[in-house]
Amino acid sequence: MAGKRAQRDTGTRSPVGAVKVTISEIAREAGVSVPTVSRVVNGRSDVSPATRARIEDLLHRHGYRRRPVAPGARAALLDLVFNDLDSPWAVEIIRGVEEVAHEQGVGTVVSAIHGRAGAARQWMTNLRARASDGVILVTSALEPGLHDELRRLGVPLVVIDPAGSPATDAPTVGATNWAGGMAATEHLLGLGHRRIGFIEGPPRLLCSRARLDGYRAALDAAGAPVDGELIVPGDFYHESGFTGANRLLDLDVPPTAIFAASDQMALGAIEALRRRGLRVPEDVSVVGFDDLPEVCWSSPPLTTVRQPLADMGKLAARAVLDLARSVEPASPRVELATELVIRASTAQPRRA
């Protein structure tokens, strides 16, 4: 397999209008052998750091890119990278990616970098060693240097739910988070709620900020005030939903409904209400976001905004495999539709 990969990648493709550069010319200019350049091109780890840096600099300066996979051929390996893996929504994305990978005979390596620079650099070292054909990055941010290294290696990148502004040349896949946040809030407003608490997700994530903006937009459109004390921090996990709900319930005038920016936080909020002897939805309505498989079995079943997590994984996998075959995506930014799913955790308020 390694021999076939080396043979596949020994050609070059220069930018449009540029003179093609061969690996032999790169090797001659770098003062190394052709096999050494080939090892760097294919991401092998058995090259000294100084030599690797010199070769990669020449490859970059000459606009070298690994030869694309021929039309109809299959990429061999994908890297799927999360910040953390301790969430059910990660499983849904993995399920979508794996379905496409299985259909196309592609292997998948799943990693978590935990937001640490050292872990991200170690992942990049491992990626070079296994010569991955593409990377799907989920709600994570890589250092600019690591993005540059992916470009030098010619490894395509697709981002799901980018954290902050994504790399300008990386296609992204997401959901209509703003519309979902607005739909959830409009549902509660339509039931008669006017004091609606909101438990945020991590503000560094674009999807979190979009859900909050949708909440605010719905209140504004209904002529309801946006009360800052009704917006409390969270991190998408159960504990912050529990803490955020308690903070809202301790207000002089507590909310009659709580919109949590993730299902896990919504379940944490329901537990906080239960421990205070409050019933859902009789005393406080609760809405989540994600529509994880477990929430239809919660007590009561959770009203939530469905985002198509598995479909997002499928779309990202197809996009990165297309890029590995030098097929550009139809759109650099794709947002899949969210949908409000009404269950038993919301009802008209008992008090205005």
Side-chain angles (χ1 to χ4, degrees):
M1 181 66 183
K4 291 181 180 178
R5 292 177 63 83
Q7 185 179 17
R8 184 193 73 189
D9 289 334
T10 53
T12 72
R13 186 183 65 168
S14 298
V16 175
V19 178
K20 290 185 177 180
V21 178
T22 67
I23 273 188
S24 297
E25 291 169 329
I26 295 287
R28 186 164 52 250
E29 190 170 347
V32 299
S33 67
V34 169
T36 299
V37 177
S38 182
R39 285 196 292 271
V40 172
V41 168
N42 286 290
R44 295 269 298 276
S45 59
D46 51 342
V47 180
S48 71
T51 300
R52 176 183 299 281
R54 185 165 72 254
I55 293 170
E56 288 180 344
D57 179 66
L58 287 168
L59 294 171
H60 180 65
R61 281 163 46 197
H62 286 291
Y64 177 91
R65 290 182 62 186
R66 294 195 305 172
R67 177 176 292 169
V69 181
R74 291 179 172 180
L77 191 65
L78 293 181
D79 265 66
L80 177 58
V81 187
F82 294 85
N83 191 47
D84 291 294
L85 284 169
D86 53 350
S87 172
W89 62 261
V91 175
E92 291 299 297
I93 290 175
I94 292 170
R95 185 165 63 85
V97 171
E98 276 291 299
E99 183 174 327
V100 171
H102 178 74
E103 288 172 356
Q104 302 201 27
V106 177
T108 306
V109 177
V110 180
S111 306
I113 57 176
H114 307 290
R116 298 193 300 266
R121 285 192 290 270
Q122 181 60 52
W123 164 76
M124 179 62 77
T125 298
N126 296 338
L127 179 136
R128 281 199 303 264
R130 58 180 167 261
S132 183
D133 292 278
V135 173
I136 300 171
L137 190 67
V138 186
T139 61
S140 302
L142 289 179
E143 303 169 31
L146 296 182
H147 277 299
D148 292 341
E149 187 158 2
L150 284 177
R151 293 190 196 98
R152 286 196 298 269
L153 292 173
V155 178
L157 170 68
V158 172
V159 182
I160 296 177
D161 271 345
S165 298
T168 56
D169 59 348
T172 63
V173 177
T176 53
N177 291 286
W178 183 89
M182 189 167 189
T185 311
E186 285 178 336
H187 169 63
L188 294 170
L189 289 164
L191 290 171
H193 296 277
R194 286 300 177 269
R195 282 189 65 78
I196 302 171
F198 183 80
I199 306 176
E200 299 178 88
R204 66 183 179 82
L205 298 180
L206 293 177
C207 60
S208 298
R209 299 201 295 270
R211 292 171 198 178
L212 174 59
D213 288 344
Y215 160 83
R216 286 174 167 154
L219 291 174
D220 185 63
V226 179
D227 188 341
E229 72 175 3
L230 290 174
I231 301 172
V232 298
D235 60 10
F236 284 163
Y237 293 100
H238 294 92
E239 293 81 359
S240 66
F242 181 87
T243 301
N246 279 314
R247 180 169 167 178
L248 291 168
L249 295 170
D250 285 338
L251 295 173
D252 292 338
V253 182
T256 62
I258 295 174
F259 172 26
S262 77
D263 284 348
Q264 287 183 280
M265 292 196 301
L267 295 177
I270 289 174
E271 177 60 17
L273 291 163
R274 186 191 68 79
R275 293 192 189 185
R276 290 187 179 227
L278 297 172
R279 297 169 299 166
V280 176
E282 291 85 356
D283 298 311
V284 181
S285 289
V286 178
V287 178
F289 201 111
D290 285 330
D291 196 29
L292 299 175
E294 65 197 77
V295 301
C296 63
W297 300 103
S298 63
S299 183
L302 184 66
T303 294
T304 187
V305 176
R306 175 182 297 153
Q307 62 168 336
L309 294 165
D311 288 341
M312 289 160 63
K314 291 177 188 178
L315 187 60
R318 292 191 182 105
V320 79
L321 289 171
D322 281 345
L323 286 169
R325 301 176 182 119
S326 290
V327 177
E328 293 297 323
S331 173
R333 172 66 180 169
V334 177
E335 288 190 341
L336 301 182
T338 52
E339 177 187 1
L340 180 68
V341 180
I342 300 173
R343 297 194 179 100
S345 66
T346 51
Q348 293 180 341
R350 296 177 62 182
R351 64 186 190 278

